[in-house]
Amino acid sequence: MEQQLDRAPCGYLVLDGDLRIVEINSTLRNLTGVENPQHIHELQTIASRMYFQTYFTPSIKMHGTVNEMFLTLKSTTGSMPALMNVVERDGFYECAVIQMSVRGEYEKELLLAKRTAEKINSETADAYEKLQTLMNEVENKQQELLALNLELQQLAITDSLTGSKNRRYLEERLTHFLVQAEKGREVTVLILDIDHFKRVNDTHGHHIGDAVLKELARRLEEVVGSTGIVTRFGGEEFVIIMPDVGAKEGLAKGNAICKYMESANWINVPVTVSIGVAVYMPGDEISSWLSRADSYLYKAKAGGRNCAYGLI
């Protein structure tokens, strides 16, 4: 294991198909206090092991990855809440483990239900109906955990003000489409900026400025529809990814958006937008791609605003 990975500020381990530990870095050894664990279960609490067995295997088999899985690990100071991401490569599971401060109440409820179920099962056959009820509760809690994980994942990629996808999601999708574009797929990005937005804030106040941003995001979703992905880049800037769209069509779409916003019946303060349009070019990276679109945005501003600019 490389020294940098061994000393990384998060835990790292590699599992084989039977969940035996093939590699583990010093960081995770120090966190758990276990020097040479042989199996992932040696690092887990009983309740966490049950959740792991229920959720991990079907998820990794179906998707090849496990994202933001909550676990409780053993440590020298007691139970340690942790967040684990896993990817499968060549039959091995590479895991990154980040220590967390709070686990939540779901695991406690699962543990209590399991202990109660074991007690009832050991007493009499007459308790079978109660046992089934408790097992149903366990299943319900597991479903709640899955739903909570999904909700957390959505929150992580959503802009809290406008409800549009955020910059993190933008970077994830651009990384994906960059690979597609390198293989010959046409992909265009549009960087959009509200004209004279500072004037809106200075004249009407930031609460009205926020309302305009929300309304703009909603209108962008309406006009772009399923043909593109709308994201908030930051401030009053939005980025739209348009797969299977070339430079000419992207520029036409940008001008159509400008006209749509100009003629819209705004609830708060009417605004116009300027747009820079850049199609992927061979050799582009995400930074150069966005930088080129940004430079076209400035040309649209210099050309009088309320228009789109790009090279065809």
Side-chain angles (χ1 to χ4, degrees):
M1 185 181 296
E2 296 181 3
Q3 288 186 354
Q4 287 182 323
L5 189 59
D6 192 40
R7 300 170 182 173
C10 66
Y12 173 80
L13 71 159
V14 179
L15 308 175
D16 65 13
D18 295 322
L19 305 182
R20 291 189 297 267
I21 297 175
V22 178
E23 290 188 49
I24 180 170
N25 70 348
S26 297
T27 304
L28 190 54
R29 284 195 182 96
N30 294 335
L31 286 173
T32 61
V34 182
E35 183 61 30
N36 291 303
Q38 302 299 308
H39 197 279
I40 184 64
H41 291 339
E42 295 178 35
L43 303 177
Q44 298 170 319
T45 63
I46 295 175
S48 187
R49 187 184 307 172
M50 184 184 74
Y51 170 59
F52 184 85
Q53 291 172 330
T54 303
Y55 176 75
F56 176 82
T57 301
S59 181
I60 198 73
K61 295 294 184 185
M62 182 178 297
H63 304 292
T65 61
V66 173
N67 294 319
E68 299 181 352
M69 181 177 185
F70 291 100
L71 296 173
T72 302
L73 304 182
K74 300 175 182 177
S75 74
T76 53
T77 58
S79 298
M80 180 184 75
L83 185 68
M84 184 169 76
N85 287 351
V86 185
V87 63
E88 188 273 332
R89 287 194 181 94
D90 301 324
F92 292 89
Y93 305 137
E94 297 183 20
C95 313
V97 180
I98 301 174
Q99 184 178 6
M100 297 185 65
S101 59
V102 178
R103 164 63 183 176
E105 295 300 320
Y106 283 101
E107 186 179 84
K108 294 179 182 178
E109 294 180 12
L110 281 172
L111 179 59
L112 177 61
K114 182 177 182 295
R115 288 176 177 172
T116 306
E118 289 175 345
K119 180 180 178 181
I120 293 174
N121 188 53
S122 65
E123 288 178 349
T124 63
D126 296 337
Y128 179 76
E129 185 176 349
K130 292 182 180 180
L131 175 61
Q132 291 300 309
T133 300
L134 286 168
M135 293 308 294
N136 287 337
E137 290 180 4
V138 171
E139 183 177 354
N140 290 337
K141 291 301 179 184
Q142 290 170 344
Q143 293 301 319
E144 289 179 17
L145 274 172
L146 292 174
L148 179 59
N149 281 341
L150 180 60
E151 182 180 353
L152 290 172
Q153 290 170 9
Q154 288 301 314
L155 287 173
I157 59 173
T158 301
D159 177 59
S160 59
L161 175 64
T162 64
S164 297
K165 292 295 187 288
N166 62 15
R167 187 164 183 165
R168 173 181 174 181
Y169 184 79
L170 169 66
E171 292 173 354
E172 290 176 358
R173 300 314 296 160
L174 282 178
T175 300
H176 167 77
F177 284 116
L178 189 67
V179 174
Q180 298 292 313
E182 289 171 348
K183 296 178 180 178
R185 186 179 186 183
E186 282 192 314
V187 185
T188 295
V189 295
L190 286 67
I191 292 187
L192 176 150
D193 183 88
I194 300 176
D195 297 328
H196 303 298
F197 186 66
K198 184 177 183 301
R199 187 182 301 168
V200 174
N201 282 329
D202 291 345
T203 304
H204 303 280
H206 287 278
H207 65 290
I208 295 296
D210 288 347
V212 170
L213 288 171
K214 294 177 185 178
E215 187 174 356
L216 174 63
R218 176 177 61 80
R219 293 187 181 280
L220 282 175
E221 294 287 354
E222 290 176 356
V223 70
V224 172
S226 60
T227 61
I229 301 170
V230 177
T231 65
R232 186 184 180 196
F233 192 59
E236 66 268 30
E237 284 191 332
F238 290 77
V239 173
I240 303 170
I241 308 173
M242 303 200 72
D244 303 314
V245 169
K248 183 176 181 180
E249 187 180 351
L251 185 58
K253 187 65 175 181
N255 280 311
I257 292 173
C258 291
K259 291 180 180 178
Y260 175 86
M261 296 303 172
E262 181 184 22
S263 61
N265 184 20
W266 289 82
I267 298 172
N268 296 284
V269 178
V271 295
T272 60
V273 298
S274 299
I275 301 175
V277 182
V279 69
Y280 168 84
M281 297 179 63
D284 264 337
E285 296 180 353
I286 292 177
S287 59
S288 61
W289 196 0
L290 290 176
S291 178
R292 192 166 62 257
D294 196 49
S295 69
Y296 294 156
L297 169 62
Y298 279 102
K299 290 185 178 180
K301 294 279 189 183
R305 294 182 171 82
N306 193 22
C307 65
Y309 184 91
L311 297 182
I312 302 177

